[in-house]
Every structure is written in structure tokens, then in C-alpha cells.
């Protein structure tokens, strides 16, 4: 085989490998944070969510946000960040119904965002 063909195939394999790794890492991390959000929703519905538990969730999101900003559209990541800040305000203000509603929106966003990483024909069109 020609050296150029081999080099091209190796480059293609590296790009595909990096893409697959990116999808797996981002999807798994979002799944973990989404599951944690589910737990917070249950706690908030029972009026037992503490500021410390919420802060841990916000810190987990902050770590994931840093990775996400490298790989995903900033608008969606920014929206989650705003919603998390708003939900914290509801928690501090004792507005429990609003807190639960905001956490449910956050959970929906956390489930939606990883789909942006997966190559899909609909994303291209």
C-alpha cells in the first residue's frame, strides 16, 4: 500500500477513536449527574433537600461543565448553569414547588445535551 493511504487510514482511525471516546465519556458523565438530579428531585419533593447536598450537585455540574464547554454547544451548557443557580435561589428562599420544577427542567436538559455529541443524520440536515 501507498504510504499516503496508510497515513490517511491511520488519521481516520484516530479521529473515529477520539470521537467514540468523547461520546462515551460525555454520555456516562451526564448520566451520573442526571441520576443525582433525580435523587435531588425526590429529596425536594419530600422537603428534605439540604443546602449541602445541593452544593455537592452544583459542584459535580461545575466539573462536568468544564468538560462540556470543550465538546458541546455553549448555549445548552450555559442554560443548565443558569437553571442550577436559579434552583439554588429557590432552595435558599424556601420556594419548594419552584425548586422541584426547576430540578425537573435541569434533569430534562441533562438528558438532552448528550444527544448533541452523538453523530446523527438529523444533526447534519
Amino acid at each position: 500500500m501507498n504510504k499516503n493511504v496508510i497515513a490517511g487510514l491511520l488519521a481516520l482511525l484516530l479521529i473515529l477513536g477520539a470521537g467514540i471516546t468523547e461520546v462515551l465519556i460525555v454520555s456516562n458523565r451526564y448520566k451520573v449527574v442526571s441520576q443525582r438530579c433525580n435523587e435531588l428531585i425526590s429529596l425536594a419533593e419530600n422537603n428534605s433537600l439540604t443546602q449541602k447536598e445541593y452544593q455537592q450537585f452544583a459542584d459535580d455540574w461545575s466539573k462536568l461543565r468544564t468538560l462540556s464547554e470543550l465538546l458541546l454547544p455553549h448555549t445548552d451548557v450555559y442554560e443548565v448553569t443558569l437553571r442550577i443557580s436559579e434552583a439554588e435561589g429557590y432552595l435558599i428562599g424556601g420556594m419548594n414547588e419552584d425548586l422541584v420544577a426547576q430540578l425537573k427542567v435541569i434533569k430534562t436538559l441533562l438528558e438532552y445535551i448528550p444527544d448533541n455529541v452523538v453523530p446523527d443524520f438529523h444533526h447534519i440536515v
Side-chain angles (χ1 to χ4, degrees):
M1 279 187 142
N2 186 342
K3 289 181 185 179
N4 290 334
V5 172
I6 293 172
L9 288 174
L10 285 175
L12 179 62
L13 287 174
L14 285 173
I15 291 170
L16 286 174
I20 291 168
T21 302
E22 171 189 359
V23 168
L24 293 174
I25 289 172
V26 169
S27 295
N28 287 336
R29 289 193 181 176
Y30 268 87
K31 188 180 294 183
V32 169
V33 174
S34 179
Q35 289 170 346
R36 181 67 183 131
C37 188
N38 258 347
E39 294 169 13
L40 293 185
I41 291 169
S42 295
L43 291 170
E45 288 174 337
N46 295 323
N47 288 323
S48 60
L49 179 59
T50 66
Q51 181 70 31
K52 184 177 179 180
E53 290 168 320
Y54 190 83
Q55 189 58 51
Q56 181 59 49
F57 172 73
D59 291 345
D60 292 344
W61 165 250
S62 182
K63 292 173 190 168
L64 179 56
R65 185 191 77 214
T66 303
L67 172 67
S68 297
E69 288 174 342
L70 292 172
L71 306 171
L72 298 170
H74 287 287
T75 306
D76 296 331
V77 175
Y78 183 65
E79 179 72 20
V80 174
T81 303
L82 290 176
R83 299 278 183 164
I84 286 176
S85 295
E86 189 173 353
E88 183 177 14
Y90 292 143
L91 176 63
I92 292 168
M95 302 167 71
N96 210 54
E97 289 181 15
D98 294 326
L99 171 62
V100 171
Q102 198 65 256
L103 287 170
K104 288 181 179 182
V105 171
I106 292 167
K107 180 171 180 348
T108 300
L109 287 167
L110 291 172
E111 292 171 349
Y112 162 77
I113 291 174
D115 290 339
N116 289 331
V117 179
V118 179
D120 190 331
F121 179 73
H122 298 291
H123 293 153
I124 298 170
V125 176

